[in-house]
Amino acid sequence: MTKEPKFYHPLPEVIQNATVQEYDKTYQKSISNPEAFWGEQAGNLDWYKKWDQVFDGGDKPFFKWYTGAKTNIIHNAIDRHLKTANRNKLAFMWEGEPGDKRQFSYHDLDNEVSKFANVLKSMGVKQGEIVTIYMPQIPELVFAMLACAKIGAVHSVVYGGFSSEALAGRIQDANSRFLITADGGYRRGKKTDLKSISNAAMLESPSIEACVTVKRTGDDVHMQEGRDFWYHDLVCLPISRGQCETVEMDSEDTLFLLYTSGSTGKPKALVHTHGGYGVYVSTTLRMVFDIKPQDRFWCAADPGWITGHSYIVYGPLILGATVMLYEGAPNFPFPNRWWDMIERYKINILYTSPTAIRGLMRFGENWPKKHDLSSLRLLGSVGEPINPEAWKWYFEHIGQGRCPIMDTWWQTETGGFVITPLPITPLKPGSASKPFFGNEVGVVDEEGNDSKPNEEGSLVIKTPSPGMARTILGDPERYIQTYWKKYEKQGWYHVGDSARKDDDGYYWIIGRSDDVIKVSGYRLGTAEVESALVSHPSVSEAATIALPHEVKGNAIHAYVILRANEKPSEELEVHLKDHVGKVMGPIAKPETLTFVDGLPKTRSGKIMRRVLKARALGQDEGDLSTLED
Ligand code: WTA
């Protein structure tokens, strides 16, 4: 057997063409004077009015960036391209799962966004108000997001796989008056019924005044007179005509909310801004994925999650890039769908998740082998740790040993990449390598002392950056408690991941250290799944844990105590799993569900999930001194 190389070195031609040619010195400079670094990066964007101050750290941890500046992310993502050759360049290439295609130049994109922005304005959408969007992966999803931003409204995109209850909860929390949805979409050859789900959610949401529906599948749907409007009707009305002016915003004004799961309670809405977020996503994308004018970039995430917001929509558009958007499943109708699309569109950069790679890997390398993948130059991974086996398969069979893999570590909270290789970085399969410029990170113990090399500890971010979420909507105290309390003395951001740093200074993310579970890269909270279970009349108590899963990374395992008069049965087990699917969405369905008579608890009544996990894995249960009995 050949010995494993310590590093996978990028090829000389990759290094030669890289935007960033040097890491160590630039990194040192960026952290010794982050304001200079972020000031310089902001200079790559256009502003209506430049900032008075790059960074305002006065009101810790509510940091502000580019204070005094006037901008709108649309000014950079669309408007400025209309004055250059980019105007006629493709912004989006879209393919539906059934194979239908649509393409939009920056000029077309401006037209579409302007039309819909005019419609929203005439419906009475005001600057600063929150519009909820619940859609399949179709171009109108992007138009809707951008139209909101253009008129200074705040978008809150809810992932199209969530249930009506989850959607209703988010509409209510945001107090949205307007919902934008579609009749459905295509996934694995089936149609999803988004409009019925939206209708059910609207019944529970008294704040809703109007709903715009895009016709995608053409299925019969219920439209309520006076509340429901078809998108295609509205954008043909005279009110949609004429260029809609982009509203001048403060740099710190809210661009969007994105709900994400935490260790406790309901999902929280993280707040991102026009100014700092725009600088952060475009800088990270330009330097890490090295986008050249002739490139075709494919981030195969759902625009409904942070990865899609940052690296399908805002980052690429600010850079004037050409982006691929695909509606459906990677293995429909066959497991070569992606490889076929890479060949047909001559994609240069593919950015996806370990779970997608592992899922496609199962079908073997004959599927990619049949396709010409020679256009690929760079690959990327995000969402969970990529196991070395999947890394090597991706590297060898998709990148054909030629394309370095950018394993980017970040979170909804950070807005963009925090730990990531650059195309020039020697790679170690499974390590996200080193911090991006302007970010100081560390692996520490409970007290904040540096962990020894290779020792597991808690990941912290020591410096604020312009892309970081500013707060949690309506609950600044929760923002402090969740992220800034644990290392308050040091002023560090508590990530919630455990990690190690090796002798070469490379970071290895181990996984979540709190009660957040990453299932197929989707972020869910044990507390949410438990409360979904307990909402069923047969259930008295529930606990959920994550156990390793070959494709999904992690899977949810549930332990349920039934009410006194209920008897365990296989039927009830299936029924309860479906119940979770109905309350939260199919991704949250537990893999297994075990009926138990009791749960391990501390004397103060907290469920000891770590004990359940150790038992399930047949491992040592550790310190049981706080166990109740
Ligand atoms: C995990 C997704 C290892 C991590 C952008 C983090 C990763 C959580 C990686 C955030 C990676 C993301 N390697 N783990 N490259 N990227 N994670 O908010 O646990 O959906 O805390 O953002 O995903 O998930 P979120």
Side-chain angles (χ1 to χ4, degrees):
M1 235 174 82
T2 50
K3 201 174 155 270
E4 263 300 288
K6 181 171 182 192
F7 289 108
Y8 283 71
H9 290 278
L11 299 178
E13 58 263 37
V14 174
I15 297 180
Q16 247 166 35
N17 282 315
T19 309
V20 180
Q21 286 289 322
E22 191 278 336
Y23 174 78
D24 291 324
K25 273 201 220 116
T26 315
Y27 177 72
Q28 283 312 328
K29 219 173 115 191
S30 77
I31 59 164
S32 68
N33 191 351
E35 287 187 43
F37 178 79
W38 291 117
E40 192 186 324
Q41 299 314 318
N44 292 320
L45 273 66
D46 286 352
W47 302 78
Y48 297 125
K49 175 181 172 282
K50 288 242 163 122
W51 50 92
D52 303 324
Q53 225 183 330
V54 171
F55 175 66
D56 173 0
D59 183 17
K60 268 186 206 161
F62 301 100
F63 304 113
K64 296 190 179 79
W65 290 84
Y66 311 111
T67 49
K70 292 283 181 193
T71 187
N72 183 314
I73 204 158
I74 299 301
H75 181 56
N76 283 292
I78 302 179
D79 300 354
R80 68 166 174 169
H81 302 307
L82 305 177
K83 295 180 221 130
T84 70
N86 278 348
R87 174 173 176 239
N88 299 317
K89 191 179 168 183
L90 280 185
F92 279 99
M93 308 179 291
W94 176 82
E95 188 166 305
E97 196 183 74
D100 42 341
K101 299 179 183 69
R102 291 163 76 190
Q103 298 195 328
F104 302 87
S105 66
Y106 276 87
H107 174 89
D108 301 329
L109 184 65
D110 176 52
N111 269 342
E112 296 294 338
V113 171
S114 194
K115 265 194 292 190
F116 193 50
N118 278 328
V119 168
L120 292 177
K121 257 200 329 207
S122 63
M123 285 172 81
V125 176
K126 293 198 196 71
Q127 193 172 324
E129 95 164 89
I130 302 159
V131 176
T132 301
I133 302 177
Y134 180 68
M135 281 170 105
Q137 302 186 52
I138 56 176
E140 285 80 3
L141 165 54
V142 179
F143 304 159
M145 291 166 72
L146 299 173
C148 287
K150 191 172 175 69
I151 61 170
V154 174
H155 59 73
S156 164
V157 180
V158 178
Y159 166 61
F162 277 135
S163 67
S164 68
E165 285 186 37
L167 174 60
R170 286 157 175 81
I171 292 175
Q172 286 164 20
D173 185 67
N175 209 16
S176 276
R177 294 195 295 147
F178 300 99
L179 173 67
I180 306 167
T181 188
D183 55 355
Y186 294 90
R187 186 88 196 169
R188 282 189 201 89
K190 290 201 197 98
K191 291 180 194 176
T192 53
D193 191 2
L194 296 185
K195 180 61 173 149
S196 305
I197 298 173
S198 294
N199 286 346
M202 284 193 284
L203 282 181
E204 306 296 311
S205 313
S207 61
I208 287 289
E209 291 174 14
C211 171
V212 178
T213 305
V214 177
K215 190 171 257 182
R216 165 72 184 129
T217 59
D219 281 351
D220 239 357
V221 293
H222 172 70
M223 299 286 281
Q224 183 180 307
E225 180 84 36
R227 183 197 67 188
D228 285 337
F229 303 88
W230 286 108
Y231 185 95
H232 58 264
D233 287 340
L234 297 175
V235 294
C236 288
L237 294 175
I239 48 155
S240 74
R241 284 192 210 133
Q243 182 64 34
C244 173
E245 210 171 304
T246 305
V247 174
E248 213 175 281
M249 307 291 285
D250 282 335
S251 169
E252 279 292 304
D253 278 341
T254 304
L255 168 63
F256 67 84
L257 307 179
L258 201 54
Y259 284 85
T260 193
S261 299
S263 334
T264 54
K266 288 192 300 184
K268 49 193 180 235
L270 291 161
V271 172
H272 284 285
T273 60
H274 274 267
Y277 173 80
V279 173
Y280 199 76
V281 295
S282 55
T283 305
T284 45
L285 184 63
R286 182 166 52 83
M287 294 186 171
V288 175
F289 280 109
D290 223 10
I291 307 220
K292 305 280 193 280
Q294 66 275 25
D295 279 339
R296 294 181 152 199
F297 176 68
W298 186 7
C299 166
D302 190 301
W305 298 94
I306 192 68
T307 308
H309 279 56
S310 301
Y311 299 113
I312 296 176
V313 181
Y314 290 112
L317 293 181
I318 293 172
L319 298 181
T322 297
V323 178
M324 181 80 225
L325 183 60
Y326 167 58
E327 179 186 32
N331 55 350
F332 184 84
F334 305 110
N336 64 338
R337 179 64 181 262
W338 277 12
W339 321 135
D340 183 46
M341 284 176 58
I342 290 169
E343 178 174 6
R344 281 190 285 117
Y345 290 90
K346 299 272 175 281
I347 300 292
N348 306 98
I349 303 157
L350 174 69
Y351 182 35
T352 184
S353 62
T355 193
I357 295 304
R358 288 190 297 260
L360 291 166
M361 200 172 129
R362 279 183 311 167
F363 298 104
E365 45 268 19
N366 277 336
W367 289 102
K369 220 184 248 163
K370 291 191 202 97
H371 294 276
D372 176 8
L373 304 179
S374 61
S375 58
L376 288 174
R377 190 179 82 242
L378 282 175
L379 300 173
S381 172
V382 61
E384 42 175 331
I386 181 162
N387 47 311
E389 201 195 350
W391 194 101
K392 285 177 206 155
W393 191 85
Y394 193 26
F395 183 76
E396 222 168 275
H397 298 290
I398 308 308
Q400 303 173 326
R402 194 181 62 240
C403 313
I405 299 173
M406 303 298 108
D407 177 359
T408 62
W409 178 90
W410 58 295
Q411 307 180 295
T412 307
E413 290 84 345
T414 67
F417 315 148
V418 175
I419 305 176
T420 174
L422 297 168
I424 56 167
T425 308
L427 301 172
K428 299 189 187 191
S431 164
S433 68
K434 295 189 177 182
F436 184 75
F437 303 130
N439 284 291
E440 254 183 287
V441 301
V443 175
V444 300
D445 66 14
E446 290 293 303
E447 279 74 49
N449 306 307
D450 279 337
S451 300
K452 289 200 194 78
N454 302 310
E455 216 167 70
E456 182 171 345
S458 175
L459 186 65
V460 291
I461 303 177
K462 300 183 175 177
T463 43
S465 66
M468 252 194 193
R470 297 298 187 264
T471 188
I472 292 171
L473 178 77
D475 202 349
E477 187 49 37
R478 187 171 173 199
Y479 179 73
I480 297 175
Q481 289 299 333
T482 311
Y483 305 110
W484 301 95
K485 199 77 200 167
K486 179 143 186 193
Y487 298 107
E488 189 180 17
K489 218 170 63 208
Q490 298 87 344
W492 297 340
Y493 169 91
H494 175 230
V495 165
D497 279 11
S498 59
R500 326 184 256 115
K501 184 171 149 184
D502 71 15
D503 298 314
D504 298 310
Y506 277 54
Y507 285 83
W508 299 76
I509 310 298
I510 295 161
R512 295 294 306 192
S513 54
D514 55 6
D515 294 319
V516 169
I517 306 185
K518 279 280 183 149
V519 182
S520 300
Y522 295 113
R523 179 165 163 180
L524 300 165
T526 48
E528 286 167 81
V529 185
E530 287 160 8
S531 90
L533 282 165
V534 176
S535 74
H536 192 279
S538 307
V539 177
S540 150
E541 259 190 277
T544 53
I545 56 166
L547 294 178
H549 184 282
E550 214 179 308
V551 176
K552 299 176 184 173
N554 295 290
I556 301 173
H557 295 262
Y559 297 85
V560 168
I561 304 177
L562 290 174
R563 294 256 170 106
N565 49 351
E566 296 286 343
K567 288 212 170 49
S569 70
E570 241 169 75
E571 241 178 306
L572 186 59
E573 184 189 323
V574 174
H575 177 74
L576 289 178
K577 284 185 193 169
D578 288 344
H579 175 74
V580 175
K582 233 176 72 200
V583 174
M584 291 180 68
I587 42 167
K589 266 194 200 181
E591 192 80 7
T592 67
L593 190 144
T594 314
F595 296 110
V596 292
D597 295 326
L599 290 166
K601 283 186 189 165
T602 61
R603 278 183 209 103
S604 56
K606 265 179 80 175
I607 297 170
M608 293 177 83
R609 296 192 185 82
R610 120 184 121 70
V611 174
L612 285 171
K613 195 165 171 167
R615 272 183 208 165
L617 293 170
Q619 289 169 350
D620 177 21
E621 291 171 15
D623 178 10
L624 294 180
S625 58
T626 58
L627 194 66
E628 182 186 39
D629 87 62

